[in-house]
């Protein structure tokens, strides 16, 4: 197949591109590099089945006939989408529509990378795919949350009204090689601090929870979903739940760092209702289709790839 991957120079997009090439496909990687890096795809310079197009998908373009589109274009880390708020909203709306129109034009299949942030500050635990969420539509993080929620609505509309063959995957916390040290999320923050010998910063009491998935397991789950006929949202994740404090302690163990764990007041950008502990943990509806196989355990996966590949600049 001739496949288009938007966001191909990003953390997940670059790993997805590798997986598609390994499956024998030809890939057009599209990225405007506002958050991605050419370093993530530098190893593909001499790959004849890969071509790179520096392009903002919010602007119309046509790469020619394609068989499948994977939309991974969006700033995804808090520092990036808080810096690029308007651009984040545009790529989730206009950009997603532009790619859906390409899928319609060429009769191509379409997979949308969504996020657990669609659940917001969840009142239900774990968060099943059928859960509608509890989202602040005007808060600092709304530029990302609402961008992804609107993209989901748009994808379903093109499926229902235009007959486009679509899939929706909701991605939870993912880690591994090519994740930037300034990503701004739990694992990258802790690993960067530990490897630098700095205090590990835990906001609140650390009882907030996350589901962490190694990138190769995440990509395997996404690729599996791309081969199904499921059109409703699917959680692609590791179903194991960790508290943020447990994660900090695990990072200290695997790095051997002498850093301390220090607690700070919750930031306004962290969703958490007064009097409640914020928990982010996936409920799994389609066990055989969307659960990553958890081939890489957290403590074995988090250390070596980060020490070798995390960017600390």
């Amino acid at each position: 197949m001739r496949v288009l991957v938007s966001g191909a120079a990003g953390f997940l997009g670059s790993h997805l591109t590798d997986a598609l090439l390994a499956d024998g496909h030809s890939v057009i990687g599209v990225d405007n590099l506002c958050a991605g890096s050419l370093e993530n795809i530098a190893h593909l310079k001499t790959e004849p089945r890969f071509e790179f197009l520096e392009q903002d998908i919010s602007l119309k373009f046509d790469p020619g006939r394609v068989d499948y589109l994977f939309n991974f274009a969006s700033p995804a880390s808090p520092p990036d989408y808080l810096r690029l708020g308007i651009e984040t909203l545009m790529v989730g709306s206009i950009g997603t529509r532009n790619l859906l129109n390409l899928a319609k034009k060429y009769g191509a299949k379409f997979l949308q990378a969504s996020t657990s942030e669609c659940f917001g500050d969840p009142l239900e635990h774990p968060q099943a795919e059928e859960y509608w969420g509890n989202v602040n539509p005007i808060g600092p993080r709304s530029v990302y949350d609402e961008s992804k929620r609107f993209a989901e609505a748009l994808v379903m509309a093109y499926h229902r009204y235009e007959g486009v063959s679509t899939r929706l995957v909701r991605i939870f916390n993912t880690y591994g090689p090519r994740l930037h040290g300034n990503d701004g999320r739990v694992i990258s923050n802790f690993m960067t601090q530990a490897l630098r010998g700095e205090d590990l910063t835990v906001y609140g009491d650390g009882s907030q929870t996350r589901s962490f998935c190694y990138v190769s397991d995440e990509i395997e789950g996404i690729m599996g979903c791309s081969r199904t006929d499921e059109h409703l949202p699917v959680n692609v994740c590791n179903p194991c739940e960790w508290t943020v404090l447990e994660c900090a302690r695990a990072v200290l163990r695997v790095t051997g760092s002498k850093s301390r764990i220090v607690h700070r007041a919750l930031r306004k950008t962290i969703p958490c209702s007064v009097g409640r502990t914020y928990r982010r943990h996936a409920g799994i509806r389609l066990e055989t289709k969307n659960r990553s196989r958890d081939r890489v355990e957290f403590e074995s996966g988090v250390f070596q790839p980060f020490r070798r590949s995390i960017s600390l600049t």
Side-chain angles (χ1 to χ4, degrees), residues 59-224:
L59 304 175
K60 286 186 178 181
F61 71 106
D62 191 334
R65 179 169 295 280
V66 290
D67 303 295
Y68 214 127
L69 296 96
F70 290 78
N71 186 18
F72 280 66
S74 177
S77 71
D80 284 337
Y81 63 67
L82 291 175
R83 173 176 59 91
L84 300 166
I86 301 298
E87 293 86 345
T88 301
L89 287 164
M90 292 300 100
V91 76
S93 54
I94 298 172
T96 301
R97 185 187 182 193
N98 285 341
L99 293 191
L100 284 164
N101 280 333
L102 286 175
K104 177 185 174 183
K105 177 178 180 179
Y106 293 116
K109 296 179 180 179
F110 185 96
L111 184 142
Q112 172 71 21
S114 192
T115 172
S116 60
E117 296 299 332
C118 284
F119 298 124
D121 186 5
L123 301 173
E124 178 181 297
H125 185 83
Q127 292 90 53
E129 287 98 338
E130 297 83 358
Y131 179 50
W132 294 347
N134 177 46
V135 177
N136 177 356
I138 58 170
R141 296 172 68 102
S142 65
V143 292
Y144 183 63
D145 299 354
E146 295 302 325
S147 168
K148 289 295 190 178
R149 286 167 68 91
F150 179 80
E152 287 196 7
L154 192 59
V155 168
M156 289 305 301
Y158 268 73
H159 172 66
R160 293 186 179 112
Y161 297 108
E162 303 291 352
V164 177
S165 179
T166 61
R167 289 125 187 93
L168 282 166
V169 295
R170 288 183 181 146
I171 298 167
F172 286 63
N173 278 264
T174 308
Y175 67 98
R178 304 177 198 162
L179 181 62
H180 199 280
N182 294 327
D183 177 73
R185 285 174 282 195
V186 174
I187 293 180
S188 53
N189 284 349
F190 286 163
M191 286 300 299
T192 299
Q193 290 170 333
L195 293 175
R196 286 175 171 168
E198 300 171 354
D199 291 341
L200 272 62
T201 306
V202 172
Y203 294 96
D205 62 6
S207 59
Q208 311 97 310
T209 65
R210 301 290 187 273
S211 295
F212 298 115
C213 190
Y214 193 70
V215 64
S216 59
D217 291 335
E218 186 71 31
I219 295 299
E220 182 180 349
I222 292 168
M223 291 287 285

Side-chain angles (χ1 to χ4, degrees), residues 196-265:
R196 286 175 171 168
E198 300 171 354
D199 291 341
L200 272 62
T201 306
V202 172
Y203 294 96
D205 62 6
S207 59
Q208 311 97 310
T209 65
R210 301 290 187 273
S211 295
F212 298 115
C213 190
Y214 193 70
V215 64
S216 59
D217 291 335
E218 186 71 31
I219 295 299
E220 182 180 349
I222 292 168
M223 291 287 285
C225 286
S226 74
R227 301 183 187 107
T228 73
D229 293 323
E230 178 60 52
H231 302 294
L232 294 174
V234 171
N235 291 339
V236 180
C237 57
N238 182 335
C240 298
E241 185 177 17
W242 287 68
T243 69
V244 170
L245 188 57
E246 287 171 341
C247 178
R249 290 169 176 163
V251 166
L252 292 180
R253 284 195 299 273
V254 299
T255 59
S257 173
K258 303 301 181 184
S259 298
R260 301 178 305 149
I261 296 174
V262 298
H263 294 264
R264 298 282 186 265

Side-chain angles (χ1 to χ4, degrees), residues 213-214 216-218 220-221 236-239 287-288 290-297:
C213 190
Y214 193 70
S216 59
D217 291 335
E218 186 71 31
E220 182 180 349
V236 180
C237 57
N238 182 335
E287 184 78 13
T288 60
N290 66 317
R291 176 181 173 178
S292 64
R293 295 190 181 183
D294 314 330
R295 298 183 189 278
V296 182
E297 296 293 334

